[in-house]
Amino acid sequence: MASSRRHRVLSASLLLCAAALTCVSGSLGPITTNGQNYSKVCDPARFASMGLDMRGFRYCDASLPYPDRAKDLVGRLTLEEKVRNLGDRAEGAARVGLPPYRWWGEALHGVSDTGPGGTWFGDVVPGATSFPLVINSAAAFNETLWRAIGGAVSTEIRAMYNLGHAELTYWSPNINVVRDPRWGRASETPGEDPFLVGRYAVSFVRAMQDLHEHDGATGAADADPFSRPIKVSSCCKHYAAYDVDAWFTADRYTFDAKVEERDMIETFERPFEMCVRDGDASCVMCSYNRINGVPACADARLLTETVRDAWQLHGYIVSDCDSVRVMVRDAKWLGYNGVEATAAAMKAGLDLDCGMFWEGAQDFFTAFGLDAVRQGKLRESEVDNALKNLYVVLMRLGFFDGIPELESLGATDVCTEAHKELAADGARQGMVLIKNDHGRLPLKAANSVALVGLLQHINASDVMLGDYRGKPCRVVTPYDGISKVAKTTSMHACDKGACGAPGGWVKTVDATIVVAGLNMSVEKEGNDREDLLLPWNQTNWINAVAEASPDPIILVIISAGGVDISFAQNNSKIGAIVWAGYPGEEGGTAIADVLFGKYNPGGRLPLTWYTNEYIGKIPMTSMALRPVADKGYPGRTYKFYGGSEVLYPFGHGLSYTSFSYASATTGASVAVKVGAWESCKQLTYKPGTSASPACPAVSVAGHGCQEEVSFELTVANVGGMDGSHVLAVYTVPPAEVDDAPRKQLVAFQRVFVPAGGAVQVPFKLNVCKAFAIVEETAYTVVPSGVSTVLVGDDALSFSFPVKIELAAA
C-alpha cells in the first residue's frame, strides 16, 4: 500500500481517537492491510482479511526460533518476490501475508523525518524531542547521559510506531572518526578519538535496542543473540574510512581512501568493532567511498570476513543510500554495469540496498537482482541469506509478533516534559567554557544585556537543530533563554556582510553577549570546509563590538568543528568564550543557564581546535594519521600531532570552580605470562634504543587478557561552586617505542563534586585494552617496558608509571 494511502487511513483513525480522547485497543497500528490497522504481522484477523489462514504459515509460529521462521518465510517467496524485498522500500508479498516495510529511518539526535516517508509528523504527533547534536553530547563525556538520550529516542520511536508514524529500523548513530577538522559532518559524530566514539556507539546503541538493562550482559536470560528482543534497531554508520564529502575536486562518490592497515585497525575500524561486539548493534551501514581501490559496499573482507564473521554481527548490513549505483555511475568501478555491481555487493555480504527516494527512483538490488541471478552472476541462496538476516531483525523487533510491554506507548510518550528537560540537560552538559579571564563568567548580576550577532544565531530556531532533525517539540533560542534571566535584553542583529558600528547601547548595558559561529550551509553532509575561519566578516565586527564595550564581552560560538578564534583568545576585551555547539531545541535555556551561573559548565572539547595555518600543511585527502615525513604532513588528532598550530587541545574545558587530584598510587607493575602457544612480537624502536627485551610484545588476539591495573583517584572541589568534572584517563606507551601514539584515551568518567567536597573514583584498566598499541605490522600488541597512566591535561593532571614485564608462563 502506498505511503500516502497509509497516512490517510491512519490520520482518519487518529483524529477519531483524538476527538474521543480514548481509542479502542487494536483500532490503531503500524501495519495497514485492506484499510484496517494491525499491531503485528502475525494477527489471525489480518490474515483472514486477506483470505489466508495464519495457521498454515510456519513463520508465524511463535514457538519456533526466529532463524527457522525466517527460513520458512523466505522459502515461500518466488525469486521475483525476493528481489522486490531487497531494497529499503520493501514491497512485501501479499500472497504469503507479508506486508510492505520501509527500512529507512533516521534518529541521529532525535526522531527525524529524513527519508522516504517511513517516519512522519502530523495529527497527534506534531513533533519529537530534538536533542543536542552528537558532537555536543560527546563533549559531556558522560555515558549515563548518552544512554538516557538513546532511551528517550527509542521510546518516542516505539510510541510513534504504535500510532503508525514510524518504523522500527533507524540508521543511527554516525560513528566515523573526525580525522580532519574540515570535515562537514563533524556535528553528527562523537569526535576525533576512536575510543570515545566507540563508547558513545555502545551506549547509544544499547539504549536504543535493549529492552532491559541486563540485555546482552554475561549470563543474561536470552543466551541466543539472534533471539534477543530489541526495542528499536540501531545501525552504526558509515563503515569505513569515510570522512571526505566534498573538498575541492574530491567527493565521497569517487574518493578512493588510501589507508594503511595499521590506521584501519587502530582508528577507522575500532568504533565499529566496539559497536558490534560490545553494543550488539543489529545493523552496520557501509559507505560510499572506496578503500584501497574497492568500494566499501562490495568488499567481502570488510563486510563478511570482518563485520559478520570476526565481530559476529547479529543483524544486517545496509548500503549508504545509492552506494551501489555510485559504484557504476560515479566510481565506474571495474567498468561494472548494474547487474554486475548488484552481484558483487551481495556476494560481498550486503543484505539491503538503500536507494534514493526521488520520484520513480529504484534501488539497484530491486532493479537488477533478478537479472543477476538469471545471468548466473549471483546465487539465489545468496539472496535468501540476505533476506533471512533482514527478517530475523524484524522478528526480534516484534514486527511479526508484537512486544506487549511496548504496546501501551502512545502520543503522551512523545515530547514529554522529562524528555524536554533531558534535552536541556544534555545541552548544558555539552557546553564547554573555553576562556574565562578574571572570572568574567558567570554573570552574577546583569539587569540589562545586549545580545549581538547574526539573526540566525541570536534567534537560532533553525541553526541550533543542526542536520538530520525532525520537527522539534519547541525551540528555545538564545534570545528566548537570556530574556528569561535578564530584566531587559536588547537584540542587535547583524547582516552577513556587516554588523555596523556599535551604537551607544554598548556602553549602557551591564553585559554584552555576542553569539557567532557557523551553520549548516558551511559544515554539513556534502559540504566540507575550505578553511577554519569564521565566515561572513564575523571576526571584524566581533572585535569592533569588543573595542566599543567598556567591559569585556562574552562570546558564544555555535559550531560543530573547531574554529580559529585565536583573535578572540588573544583579545583581553573578550573576557569569556563558551562553545555551545548545535545544542538542540532547548539550547537557549542551556546557554542562559551556563552564562548566568545556574549551571557550572563541565564539558570538554571532543576535537582538537587548530589555527587556520594547520590545514595548509596537509590535504584533507591524506588518510594517514601519523606524520608523513617525506611529504611534510604533520600528523592528525591529539594522538599523533604535536605541533604548534593547536588553539585548544582535545579535552580542553574550564569550570567556574577549581579541582584537585590525590591518589595513593605511585606506580604499578604487571607480570604478563606468555603461554607456550603464544609467540612474542617485535616492536619498532626509536633509533639509538639499546637492546630490546627478550619478548618485546605479545599479541592481544592470542592472549587471555586477564591482567589489570587498578587505582583510585580522589577529586576534590577546592572552589566555591558545585560542579561536574571529567576525568579523562590516557595511557602513554613506552618512550622507546617508535611511531606510537603520543597518548591514547582509555577511560573517562564525569563526576559531580559539591563545593568543598571530594569523591573517590576507582578505575580498573584491562592491560590488553588500555595499554595495547597497533604495531606497523598491524598486530595489536601489549608492549614490554614502562608505560604511563595519565589523568587530565596540562592544567590539572595525575600520572604514574606502569612496568609491564612479559615472561614465559
Side-chain angles (χ1 to χ4, degrees):
M1 181 173 292
S3 173
S4 59
R5 165 66 176 157
R6 176 190 184 214
H7 290 182
R8 285 197 300 271
V9 171
L10 288 168
S11 294
S13 299
L14 288 165
L15 289 172
L16 287 172
C17 289
L21 300 181
T22 60
C23 296
V24 178
S25 176
S27 64
L28 295 179
I31 300 167
T32 303
T33 302
N34 294 329
Q36 297 296 316
N37 302 310
Y38 301 90
S39 63
K40 58 187 178 182
V41 171
C42 295
D43 183 329
R46 178 180 168 274
F47 272 73
S49 75
M50 304 171 72
L52 301 173
D53 184 350
M54 194 182 83
R55 292 172 297 182
F57 295 86
R58 290 186 78 243
Y59 76 81
C60 279
D61 184 348
S63 69
L64 297 176
Y66 291 152
D68 291 354
R69 296 172 63 184
K71 181 179 179 181
D72 176 76
L73 172 57
V74 173
R76 294 173 182 274
L77 302 176
T78 66
L79 177 59
E80 290 80 2
E81 288 170 334
K82 292 173 182 177
V83 167
R84 290 198 291 269
N85 285 281
L86 291 173
D88 63 283
R89 287 167 287 183
E91 297 182 17
R95 183 182 62 83
V96 298
L98 181 66
Y101 183 79
R102 297 202 169 194
W103 288 87
W104 186 347
E106 302 284 355
L108 181 71
H109 57 108
V111 188
S112 171
D113 54 357
T114 299
T119 303
W120 59 285
F121 296 106
D123 49 65
V124 295
V125 189
T129 311
S130 185
F131 292 94
L133 268 290
V134 176
I135 195 72
N136 288 70
S137 294
F141 281 76
N142 188 346
E143 294 192 40
T144 301
L145 172 69
W146 303 339
R147 288 193 295 269
I149 290 175
V153 172
S154 62
T155 292
E156 295 197 352
I157 288 171
R158 288 301 305 214
M160 292 175 64
Y161 173 75
N162 290 343
L163 296 168
H165 277 256
E167 300 293 0
L168 295 172
T169 46
Y170 282 77
W171 297 339
S172 303
N174 179 340
I175 59 168
N176 295 110
V177 170
V178 182
R179 173 186 54 88
D180 190 286
R182 291 161 286 195
W183 190 33
R185 300 186 76 168
S187 67
E188 302 177 35
T189 77
E192 72 178 35
D193 180 81
F195 176 77
L196 178 68
V197 175
R199 288 310 308 168
Y200 177 88
V202 172
S203 299
F204 186 83
V205 168
R206 282 288 179 190
M208 286 279 281
Q209 295 194 161
D210 290 356
L211 281 172
H212 310 106
E213 287 187 10
H214 72 273
D215 284 2
T218 301
D222 299 311
D224 178 10
F226 290 104
S227 297
R228 184 171 72 89
I230 51 178
K231 188 177 179 185
V232 171
S233 173
S234 186
C235 189
C236 285
K237 63 184 185 184
H238 313 80
Y239 179 71
Y242 162 59
D243 55 7
V244 172
D245 266 69
W247 184 71
F248 294 103
T249 59
D251 69 79
R252 60 183 178 174
Y253 304 128
T254 59
F255 183 59
D256 186 4
K258 302 297 185 181
V259 183
E260 294 183 359
E261 289 297 325
R262 173 162 59 175
D263 285 338
M264 196 70 178
I265 292 170
E266 183 178 53
T267 299
F268 298 116
E269 286 188 347
R270 190 180 186 195
F272 290 92
E273 181 177 6
M274 294 170 70
C275 178
V276 175
R277 286 187 185 272
D278 302 331
D280 195 24
S282 54
C283 170
V284 169
M285 174 184 282
C286 54
S287 53
Y288 290 109
N289 55 289
R290 285 169 288 161
I291 302 172
N292 299 326
V294 182
C297 290
D299 191 331
R301 181 186 172 200
L302 287 178
L303 304 187
T304 297
E305 293 179 23
T306 302
V307 174
R308 188 166 297 284
D309 293 343
W311 299 347
Q312 291 292 292
L313 174 70
H314 306 125
Y316 69 100
I317 302 175
V318 62
S319 69
D320 199 349
C321 297
D322 228 23
S323 287
V324 183
R325 187 191 309 269
V326 161
M327 296 179 201
V328 176
R329 183 192 63 200
D330 301 279
K332 297 177 172 56
W333 180 56
L334 301 180
Y336 276 5
N337 58 27
V339 170
E340 293 165 325
T342 292
M346 291 205 71
K347 292 176 82 68
L350 188 62
D351 300 308
L352 183 71
D353 182 24
C354 175
M356 296 308 289
F357 56 94
W358 57 75
E359 188 67 29
Q362 192 176 40
D363 67 271
F364 256 38
F365 281 11
T366 301
F368 298 106
L370 194 61
D371 287 341
V373 174
R374 286 177 172 170
Q375 292 178 23
K377 300 182 184 298
L378 181 68
R379 298 178 183 180
E380 186 175 359
S381 62
E382 290 166 324
V383 174
D384 293 350
N385 288 335
L387 290 172
K388 290 172 191 174
N389 291 333
L390 296 170
Y391 291 135
V392 166
V393 170
L394 287 181
M395 288 175 180
R396 294 173 63 196
L397 285 162
F399 181 67
F400 286 85
D401 305 326
I403 299 179
E405 65 187 279
L406 300 176
E407 290 173 5
S408 63
L409 296 173
T412 57
D413 297 291
V414 182
C415 285
T416 66
E417 289 303 315
H419 288 179
K420 286 182 279 191
E421 173 52 33
L422 178 60
D425 188 49
R428 286 188 288 258
Q429 290 195 39
M431 297 277 168
V432 180
L433 181 62
I434 290 179
K435 174 184 177 181
N436 196 25
D437 285 356
H438 310 294
R440 183 69 182 96
L441 290 176
L443 295 171
K444 296 177 177 61
N447 292 324
S448 59
V449 171
L451 195 56
V452 188
L454 298 177
L455 184 60
Q456 62 173 323
H457 291 140
I458 298 174
N459 192 31
S461 57
D462 180 75
V463 171
M464 290 194 310
L465 302 179
D467 205 3
Y468 283 91
R469 89 285 290 276
K471 290 182 171 58
C473 310
R474 65 184 183 192
V475 177
V476 181
T477 69
Y479 177 80
D480 295 334
I482 291 170
S483 296
K484 292 176 183 177
V485 181
K487 289 185 178 179
T488 60
T489 304
S490 57
M491 184 168 67
H492 304 274
C494 311
D495 293 327
K496 285 189 176 181
C499 197
W505 50 265
V506 78
K507 300 183 184 300
T508 63
V509 295
D510 296 324
T512 299
I513 301 169
V514 174
V515 186
L518 312 177
N519 66 18
M520 290 291 115
S521 73
V522 177
E523 50 176 356
K524 184 183 179 181
E525 180 178 2
N527 186 27
D528 298 322
R529 291 193 283 166
E530 296 180 6
D531 60 50
L532 304 181
L533 304 174
L534 284 174
W536 313 311
N537 200 36
Q538 291 179 92
T539 299
N540 288 337
W541 57 253
I542 291 170
N543 279 329
V545 171
E547 183 61 32
S549 175
D551 299 309
I553 68 170
I554 294 102
L555 176 62
V556 177
I557 295 292
I558 292 180
S559 77
V563 183
D564 183 355
I565 51 171
S566 50
F567 75 91
Q569 179 63 32
N570 298 328
N571 188 341
S572 62
K573 299 209 69 177
I574 300 176
I577 305 172
V578 172
W579 176 74
Y582 293 105
E585 67 171 51
E586 305 294 324
T589 296
I591 289 171
D593 287 348
V594 167
L595 296 183
F596 288 89
K598 184 178 179 180
Y599 186 85
N600 187 351
R604 301 297 183 97
L605 293 177
L607 296 168
T608 302
W609 282 33
Y610 302 91
T611 61
N612 199 52
E613 287 75 19
Y614 171 80
I615 62 171
K617 296 185 176 183
I618 186 168
M620 191 173 176
T621 49
S622 171
M623 299 299 292
L625 275 293
R626 288 167 174 77
V628 182
D630 61 341
K631 295 183 179 180
Y633 297 166
R636 298 181 178 279
T637 78
Y638 80 91
K639 293 177 69 173
F640 301 107
Y641 177 72
S644 60
E645 287 90 6
V646 173
L647 179 60
Y648 304 114
F650 172 89
H652 174 71
L654 307 177
S655 173
Y656 294 152
T657 191
S658 299
F659 298 92
S660 67
Y661 293 160
S663 177
T665 302
T666 58
S669 295
V670 181
V672 177
K673 300 299 183 182
V674 181
W677 62 91
E678 298 179 86
S679 58
C680 295
K681 299 298 180 185
Q682 296 301 307
L683 285 177
T684 304
Y685 290 104
K686 292 177 180 176
T689 300
S690 58
S692 63
C695 187
V698 64
S699 173
V700 166
H703 190 65
C705 293
Q706 300 301 310
E707 299 87 357
E708 294 178 335
V709 173
S710 298
F711 68 99
E712 186 172 271
L713 193 65
T714 298
V715 184
N717 184 337
V718 296
M721 188 174 183
D722 297 349
S724 293
H725 181 72
V726 172
L727 291 161
V729 181
Y730 303 88
T731 57
V732 180
E736 64 271 18
V737 178
D738 198 20
D739 244 3
R742 297 168 59 82
K743 62 179 181 180
Q744 54 189 2
L745 186 71
V746 297
F748 56 88
Q749 191 168 339
R750 185 178 177 122
V751 295
F752 176 79
V753 190
V759 296
Q760 284 74 43
V761 186
F763 288 98
K764 186 178 290 185
L765 305 179
N766 178 278
V767 169
C768 285
K769 292 181 179 180
F771 294 88
I773 60 174
V774 181
E775 242 292 293
E776 67 177 356
T777 58
Y779 273 113
T780 301
V781 300
V782 175
S784 175
V786 179
S787 294
T788 303
V789 170
L790 170 65
V791 184
D793 52 28
D794 292 340
L796 175 63
S797 65
F798 162 76
S799 65
F800 63 90
V802 177
K803 184 178 182 180
I804 298 177
E805 295 182 293
L806 307 179

